[in-house]
Amino acid sequence: MQVLKSKQLLGEAGAARVAPRRHVSVRPITHMQAAPRLPPDTPKERGAEGGREWLGTILSRFGPVKDKSQNTAVLEFEKPLLELDKRIKEVRKVAEENGVDVTASIAELETRARQLRKETYSRLTPVQRLQVARHPNRPTCLDIILNITDKFVELHGDRAGLDDPAIVCGIGSINGTPFMMIGHQKGRNTKENIRRNFGMPQPNGYRKALRFMRHADKFGLPIITFVDTPGAYAGKTAEELGQGEAIAVNLREMFGLRVPIISVVIGEGGSGGALAIGCANRNLIMENSVYYVASPEACAAILWKSRAAAGEATEALRITAPELVKFEVMDHIIPEPLGGAHADPLSAFPMVKEAIMETYAEYAVMTEEEIKLDRYAKFRKLGQFQEFVVKGGDWRTGLAERQAAAGTTTKTGAWAFSEAEARYIEQQADADERWEKLMAEGAEWLNRPVQPPGLGRSGIMDVAVAMVETRRRKQLQSGSYMPSSLLNTAA
């Protein structure tokens, strides 16, 4: 309209000058009306049906995974199992396409696959169990919590302005019973692992855990901890913020809590980072999990001077679940589905839930004092040692002689290596009895003598006497020793 109006006013000469403007202004409008600009990936020359097909292919990427092997990492010893599973799927697919009944053949292959999987996982080496414990598809702390609880509310913060994502804390209920749940959280991919710091907490993470432990102790909530960390973060920042102090405070405070504590190792439990939330009344461990003082790689670098000896270190450390239960470091093994928890997590969750509730039932009837004493007694009995007297420090020869000797007994029936040792044991027992009698008779003393703590324990007095005797002999050799009788005479 504007172009025609300008033509009438200006005449032919003016219209000739305006014509290029008419050409420029009309073409874009006509072009937009005829074929609007679309995204480059829009399907061309397709009807409504074609558009739906294209949309379906896009949305299929966000649907459930039909083949679990797409997103599942495969360990080296699992490759034969994966190949057999693929062959079964191929046979089934060919049979469906050709209309052939191969039910018997498929059943035979599936039986063989189950048998092979069972044999493989029943004879895993310590190195292979370590690989399974570190499997990227293994259920994490939040996976387990959200699948065993009726309700769960995550809590944050250490009341000092920090919140460590590597430690997850919250209140959840199992079968109507409320629990305080605390655990290490790893990530599923690189981005999430960086955010969670690969499950390695910093000091503020342990202070966060301690805050909610005290909260649970105040309100009488039983505590469940899930251990899954290669260790506490050993960076410069963590040391500056007091990593060692934070772990030590947790160890001290957990022994004084009045509520039962149940700890479950769901992956790898490394060093003080695991122990900081692992001082529990009962320690459970999943079948393919590990628990160690130092990672096999670190142990190999320290003792073998090479990380290449990590396999040898793994076997020497005795870090697998059966070994830990044998040495009474762990109390109970939670079984996993055939193929590991990463192969069938939905079957692993009920096993974890059942083990936790069975353990909690034992402590639900205990008093607060009994719960604390039970936790104290558990850690007091850890370790294996044997106490005996040897000559010249040659303990191997002394131990062999003791094992070969028939021995004798004391008046109370205790076994002794020789008559001299029997008399020594009786003297120690008599000394303890005299001390107790002295303390009982001197009840009205103003300054009651106090025996130094620990001297009543077997072996401590022996060490003290031996040190005094060693010092006396050195003084005799140097000529600076004077017997007490000469001292009295000189006085």
Side-chain angles (χ1 to χ4, degrees):
M1 295 293 293
Q2 293 177 356
V3 173
L4 295 177
K5 184 176 181 180
S6 63
K7 182 177 179 181
Q8 293 173 359
L9 294 175
L10 298 177
E12 294 295 333
R17 289 194 298 271
V18 177
R21 290 183 59 191
R22 178 182 60 187
H23 177 73
V24 173
S25 60
V26 171
R27 281 192 63 184
I29 297 175
T30 307
H31 175 71
M32 290 298 292
Q33 291 175 347
R37 187 179 298 275
L38 297 175
D41 58 347
T42 304
K44 304 297 188 299
E45 298 181 0
R46 290 185 180 180
E49 188 65 29
R52 283 196 294 269
E53 291 178 0
W54 171 78
L55 184 61
T57 57
I58 296 297
L59 295 179
S60 64
R61 303 175 188 175
F62 303 95
V65 177
K66 297 180 180 179
D67 186 4
K68 290 194 296 184
S69 61
Q70 295 177 7
N71 297 333
T72 303
V74 181
L75 303 176
E76 188 66 30
F77 67 90
E78 292 180 322
K79 288 183 179 179
L81 304 175
L82 183 64
E83 291 297 329
L84 190 54
D85 291 340
K86 285 184 178 179
R87 185 172 301 178
I88 293 173
K89 293 176 183 177
E90 291 173 359
V91 171
R92 184 180 287 111
K93 183 178 179 180
V94 171
E96 291 176 355
E97 291 177 352
N98 299 321
V100 181
D101 185 11
V102 290
T103 307
S105 301
I106 292 178
E108 183 180 353
L109 288 174
E110 289 177 345
T111 303
R112 189 188 306 174
R114 283 193 298 270
Q115 185 65 25
L116 179 60
R117 193 177 300 275
K118 184 177 180 180
E119 292 176 359
T120 301
Y121 277 86
S122 62
R123 48 184 174 83
L124 290 180
T125 64
V127 177
Q128 291 171 339
R129 288 196 184 275
L130 178 63
Q131 293 174 354
V132 175
R134 294 174 172 175
H135 199 287
N137 296 105
R138 193 168 178 83
T140 64
C141 171
L142 281 176
D143 293 335
I144 295 176
I145 289 177
L146 295 176
N147 281 276
I148 68 173
T149 56
D150 311 321
K151 297 178 182 178
F152 177 73
V153 178
E154 185 174 357
L155 306 174
H156 298 273
D158 65 343
R159 288 290 175 87
L162 297 172
D163 181 39
D164 191 352
I167 289 281
V168 171
C169 303
I171 299 177
S173 62
I174 304 178
N175 297 340
T177 304
F179 293 91
M180 177 63 73
M181 299 186 176
I182 303 169
H184 303 99
Q185 176 65 24
K186 292 183 178 180
R188 285 293 185 200
N189 48 48
T190 304
K191 183 177 181 180
E192 189 176 350
N193 267 320
I194 292 174
R195 177 176 176 267
R196 300 283 185 180
N197 201 26
F198 294 86
M200 296 184 292
Q202 303 216 28
N204 47 288
Y206 292 117
R207 295 184 179 114
K208 168 185 172 181
L210 180 59
R211 172 200 166 192
F212 291 113
M213 287 181 191
R214 288 171 172 164
H215 181 86
D217 186 61
K218 179 179 180 180
F219 292 98
L221 298 175
I223 300 173
I224 302 174
T225 65
F226 297 95
V227 177
D228 186 16
T229 178
Y233 182 60
K236 179 183 176 182
T237 305
E239 295 299 329
E240 291 174 348
L241 295 175
Q243 183 78 283
E245 183 267 349
I247 294 175
V249 170
N250 278 29
L251 299 181
R252 182 192 68 191
E253 294 297 319
M254 289 184 76
F255 279 102
L257 299 180
R258 302 174 293 114
V259 296
I261 305 174
I262 302 171
S263 177
V264 185
V265 181
I266 60 176
E268 54 178 339
S271 189
L275 199 60
I277 61 171
C279 292
N281 294 84
R282 190 67 62 87
N283 290 81
L284 315 180
I285 183 170
M286 296 186 71
E287 184 179 357
N288 293 312
S289 297
V290 294
Y291 198 72
Y292 46 72
V293 174
S295 67
E297 292 80 7
C299 178
I302 295 171
L303 299 181
W304 280 269
K305 309 302 180 184
S306 172
R307 292 175 65 91
E312 188 176 354
T314 303
E315 297 181 1
L317 285 172
R318 308 289 183 88
I319 60 177
T320 59
E323 295 284 356
L324 294 167
V325 172
K326 175 183 176 182
F327 291 118
E328 297 184 351
V329 176
M330 292 289 154
D331 299 301
H332 178 68
I333 297 176
I334 301 176
E336 296 185 20
L338 188 61
H342 64 278
D344 190 5
L346 293 179
S347 299
F349 299 141
M351 297 179 182
V352 176
K353 180 178 179 180
E354 181 181 359
I356 290 175
M357 295 309 293
E358 287 181 357
T359 304
Y360 171 68
E362 301 177 16
Y363 294 95
V365 295
M366 289 188 180
T367 63
E368 296 175 356
E369 191 64 26
E370 289 174 340
I371 290 172
K372 291 196 292 185
L373 290 175
D374 176 85
R375 191 181 308 129
Y376 176 80
K378 170 183 167 52
F379 284 87
R380 283 291 295 169
K381 71 178 182 180
L382 287 179
Q384 296 181 353
F385 64 91
Q386 190 173 12
E387 193 174 15
F388 54 90
V389 179
V390 296
K391 296 180 180 179
D394 188 3
W395 63 270
R396 291 184 177 85
T397 303
L399 181 61
E401 291 176 355
R402 293 179 69 85
Q403 292 175 346
T408 184
T409 57
T410 63
K411 295 179 181 178
T412 58
W415 185 89
F417 168 64
S418 61
E419 293 290 341
E421 185 173 290
R423 290 194 297 271
Y424 176 76
I425 294 174
E426 291 171 357
Q427 290 173 1
Q428 293 296 319
D430 293 342
D432 290 341
E433 290 178 359
R434 287 196 298 271
W435 177 265
E436 292 177 1
K437 183 178 179 181
L438 179 65
M439 294 298 292
E441 292 176 350
E444 298 180 358
W445 290 352
L446 295 177
N447 297 320
R448 189 186 187 92
V450 178
Q451 185 178 16
L455 291 184
R457 286 164 35 204
S458 175
I460 299 298
M461 289 297 297
D462 304 345
V463 174
V465 171
M467 293 177 64
V468 172
E469 181 64 19
T470 302
R471 185 169 64 240
R472 185 185 66 82
R473 289 181 180 180
K474 289 182 178 180
Q475 291 174 349
L476 279 174
Q477 292 175 358
S478 62
S480 61
Y481 174 75
M482 180 177 292
S484 58
S485 58
L486 296 179
L487 288 174
N488 294 335
T489 303

